[in-house]
Amino acid sequence: WNLKTFHELTATEIYHILRLRSQVFVVEQQSIQQDIDGKDMNATHLIGIQSSSSSSPPSSPSSSFEIIAYARLFAPGVIYDKEAAIGRIVVSPSCRGQGMGQALVREAMERCGGLYGFGVDIKIGGQTRLRAFYERFGFKQYGEEYLENGTPHIPMICTRSSSPSLPSSSSQ
């Protein structure tokens, strides 16, 4: 896992991030949307990388790598007043069914704790069809369903002081 601010990302990494987000959120989910929403510059980017070349680091222009998982992390005060936020949670279609989604959410929650404090609550706008998935991490719906780019979503919050322990990697 790599964790970078927007200004630490290379042009190649930005390209691969936007390609994965477009592949899933626009093409696969058939949702015509403006994915580049102006929030990337205020986010910390969690990137799961699968390297094809062990001789070059992923940030090297000569390296061959694929971003297989990604999420945006936001400090309290950026999206919500008091809570941290996780958004654009996405796993490459080629890596689904292998526990990568669970690993991504678990890592994103851990990184939020490390960056913003382990007692800080976390909010997400989760796709309604993934409600049970997010509930395994302690998220609970706190508002009404809404449409985001034509896809049903629900606002969810994980209250860190009362959240269950994160599912272990062996429970994938």
Side-chain angles (χ1 to χ4, degrees):
W1 296 105
N2 288 328
L3 191 67
K4 296 184 176 190
T5 66
F6 182 78
H7 298 289
E8 293 171 328
L9 294 169
T10 66
T12 302
E13 287 169 327
I14 292 170
Y15 170 81
H16 284 281
I17 288 166
L18 295 176
R19 187 173 125 204
L20 175 61
R21 287 176 15 186
S22 178
Q23 176 188 12
V24 173
F25 297 132
V26 178
V27 178
E28 179 183 298
Q29 295 180 1
Q30 299 177 357
S31 175
I32 305 300
Q33 63 172 297
Q34 180 63 39
D35 178 54
I36 300 171
D37 59 4
K39 296 177 183 174
D40 288 309
M41 291 180 285
N42 297 315
T44 301
H45 303 267
L46 179 62
I47 309 162
I49 293 177
Q50 184 173 60
S51 200
S52 301
S53 168
S54 59
S55 60
S56 301
S59 59
S60 167
S62 62
S63 71
S64 178
F65 69 96
E66 178 187 5
I67 292 179
I68 58 171
Y70 171 82
R72 296 193 300 197
L73 313 180
F74 295 96
V78 175
I79 304 293
Y80 303 105
D81 289 336
K82 298 177 184 173
E83 301 86 5
I86 303 172
R88 296 291 199 264
I89 300 167
V90 62
V91 171
S92 171
S94 66
C95 296
R96 294 192 189 141
Q98 303 170 29
M100 183 56 66
Q102 288 186 36
L104 173 60
V105 173
R106 188 172 40 257
E107 187 72 18
M109 292 177 75
E110 286 293 324
R111 296 295 182 112
C112 278
L115 290 168
Y116 316 126
F118 287 97
V120 173
D121 296 342
I122 302 171
K123 286 185 174 179
I124 63 169
Q127 290 185 9
T128 304
R129 67 183 182 83
L130 297 172
R131 177 182 179 165
F133 172 78
Y134 291 118
E135 286 175 341
R136 286 188 267 172
F137 297 92
F139 285 95
K140 294 182 179 4
Q141 183 175 346
Y142 71 89
E144 297 298 315
E145 182 179 76
Y146 61 94
L147 287 179
E148 184 174 315
N149 302 309
T151 303
H153 282 70
I154 51 174
M156 301 185 85
I157 187 168
C158 178
T159 306
R160 298 293 285 222
S161 57
S162 64
S163 68
S165 60
L166 299 178
S168 68
S169 55
S170 62
S171 66
Q172 295 178 11

